[in-house]
Amino acid sequence: MTGAPIDAIGLVGAGAVGQSVATALCTAGLSERLLITSRTDDQALALVADIDDLSETTGAPTRPQVSTTTGMHACRAIVIAARASFTNTARTDIRMAGAAANAPVIIRLAHQLRGYTGTVLMVTNPVDLMTRLFAETSGCPRVYGIGSNLDSARYRHTLARHLNVTPAAIRGHVIGEHGDGAVICASTTTVNGQRVPLPLQQARDELRPRASRISASIGRTRSGPAGAVLSALRKALALDDGLEELAAPYGGGFLGLPLRFTHAQPTVCLPVLSYAEQQQFTAAHHKLRTAYQDLTTQLGTAVPSSTASGRTS
């Protein structure tokens, strides 16, 4: 990281993912302060104490403190990892199954953060829907969803292992939905700058059950989302330039897109898609827009019509 740490980053949610995000942010030293709020004061206090111990034992510069959501308006960025208390029994579209439970939580946070002008990173699933719901309810100008960047990292890592190269040698994206509608952009994937035969079926077979396998064994995916948050924050806060696949406005909805950040300003870099990939991308777009309409109708929520299409150039 270049330069001094920024003043403060906010974190909403002290559950399993929030704990991992807090650990990552503290050890990376992106900010001088980490403001934490959660469902209960006891949760926030406990996580602050735990991160305090981490800061002391590692010499990390970041100091955690308990906050309220409305007290985070001065933060440069806010990470939302809040989750309602519910049991997910879905076997397909697992991430989508949390929409009705998590939506009221996101709506409440959006009202509390109206007028916030910093960067918001949404982690709560279904992340593409929750990103749009927060953005359109709050009116905040810089709202992105974590998901497709984690999918892309998993894709590159899996290909690298099968091809016996380093992940840095792989250039390729997973876009669309963070979930069953994810689109692997195989037609533009390169290895060391070259097009080569790819073990796509093996990659698909490994990637499809990866998240559920992690959750089944340790209860929740933690470290991957935390790493994705850290990587995205570095771009969104102008600490690094580079590409991140994030949920962002597109065609009246939100879905995963490659965004190239230059001095914190994003530009959509959608790759040229094959016919099959374009069909999948269109299907994911339609699925997410329909799911969003169904969700807001179910909740009886008057969410403003999308004005977000101009927020990501």
Side-chain angles (χ1 to χ4, degrees), residues 55-277:
S55 296
E56 290 299 330
T57 55
T58 63
T62 301
R63 296 298 170 186
Q65 64 185 72
V66 174
S67 178
T68 62
T69 307
T70 53
M72 294 181 177
H73 277 258
C75 291
R76 285 278 304 280
I78 298 173
V79 180
I80 298 179
R83 181 183 185 273
S85 181
F86 71 99
T87 301
N88 192 338
T89 59
R91 294 187 177 274
T92 59
D93 260 350
I94 294 172
R95 297 177 182 88
M96 197 66 75
N102 286 329
V105 175
I106 299 306
I107 290 170
R108 182 172 66 252
L109 293 172
H111 285 298
Q112 292 169 346
L113 288 168
R114 280 185 183 275
Y116 177 68
T117 58
T119 296
V120 176
L121 288 186
M122 180 64 63
V123 183
T124 306
N125 276 319
V127 67
D128 304 294
L129 295 190
M130 297 300 103
T131 304
R132 180 179 178 183
L133 184 62
F134 182 91
E136 295 188 351
T137 305
S138 68
C140 294
R142 287 174 58 88
V143 184
Y144 308 105
I146 298 300
S148 291
N149 55 346
L150 179 55
D151 293 334
S152 297
R154 289 168 170 169
Y155 171 58
R156 292 188 286 262
H157 176 78
T158 300
L159 284 185
R161 183 165 48 78
H162 280 286
L163 296 171
N164 196 29
V165 298
T166 65
I170 309 292
R171 293 289 182 270
H173 312 288
V174 179
I175 61 176
E177 180 195 358
H178 178 50
D180 292 6
V183 181
I184 294 177
C185 300
S187 65
T188 52
T189 296
T190 61
V191 181
N192 289 317
Q194 303 295 318
R195 294 293 311 282
V196 302
L198 301 174
L200 283 178
Q201 192 55 53
Q202 296 97 312
R204 293 181 196 277
D205 290 343
E206 289 186 27
L207 291 171
R208 190 176 300 111
R210 186 181 183 95
S212 57
R213 187 172 64 247
I214 293 171
S215 296
S217 297
I218 62 173
R220 191 89 46 168
T221 55
R222 296 172 169 83
S223 299
V229 165
L230 190 60
S231 180
L233 276 178
R234 294 191 65 87
K235 312 300 192 304
L237 296 176
L239 300 174
D240 290 328
D241 287 342
L243 200 70
E244 294 285 331
E245 298 86 354
L246 299 172
Y250 181 86
F254 273 66
L255 73 171
L257 303 167
L259 302 179
R260 182 169 299 283
F261 284 86
T262 305
H263 304 302
Q265 297 306 310
T267 302
V268 175
C269 298
L270 194 64
V272 176
L273 303 176
S274 69
Y275 177 79
E277 292 163 357

